[in-house]
Amino acid sequence: MAKISSSIASHIPCPVSERLKQARMQRKFSQRGLGIAAGIDEASASARMNQYERGKHVPDYKMLCSLAGVLRVPIPYFYANDDDAKLLLNLALLSNEQQELIRELVKRLNFNL
């Protein structure tokens, strides 16, 4: 994963809104439907999800966890750059056993540096 200097990072918009919209559309949820499924009151679900997707507000960690669970994406996906987001989604599709094999492989590769 690429490192970004703090001066550059301050000019990069938070990717949560874009990732949230991408994942919602991939799972074919309406904004209202996703909000309700994540535990937002029916009366405000659509408006809150719209604000999240436009970047006006960023969901807190608890809400992000709920959204990730409903959308079946890992929480770091919301903060990842495009390449890392794809990798995280692909890893999430693997079985627990396959994920553990990947973790072990990464550990072995890191020790060989």
Side-chain angles (χ1 to χ4, degrees):
M1 305 215 177
K3 293 186 179 187
I4 300 174
S5 74
S6 60
S7 62
I8 294 172
S10 65
H11 299 295
I12 298 173
C14 180
V16 171
S17 60
E18 181 182 340
R19 297 274 174 260
L20 184 56
K21 184 174 183 177
Q22 288 171 345
R24 177 183 63 79
M25 293 178 77
Q26 181 70 30
R27 296 281 184 222
K28 299 182 178 15
F29 272 100
S30 66
Q31 288 179 333
R32 183 175 186 273
L34 175 57
I36 292 169
I40 300 172
D41 182 76
E42 288 184 31
S44 61
S46 181
R48 278 192 47 200
M49 292 307 303
N50 184 273
Q51 290 174 347
Y52 292 156
E53 288 186 8
R54 287 186 299 123
K56 183 173 182 179
H57 297 290
V58 177
D60 65 19
Y61 186 73
K62 184 177 178 182
M63 177 53 61
L64 207 56
C65 289
S66 295
L67 292 165
V70 172
L71 294 168
R72 299 191 320 251
V73 298
I75 296 163
Y77 163 80
F78 292 110
Y79 294 99
N81 65 39
D82 289 342
D83 289 336
D84 292 342
K86 289 175 189 173
L87 176 62
L88 290 166
L89 289 178
N90 286 329
L91 287 171
L93 294 174
L94 299 174
S95 70
N96 289 339
E97 294 81 17
Q98 290 170 320
Q99 289 179 24
E100 188 56 36
L101 288 171
I102 296 294
R103 285 185 191 95
E104 290 301 319
L105 177 60
V106 169
K107 284 180 191 175
R108 281 187 276 172
L109 290 172
N110 284 334
F111 286 125
N112 289 329
L113 293 178

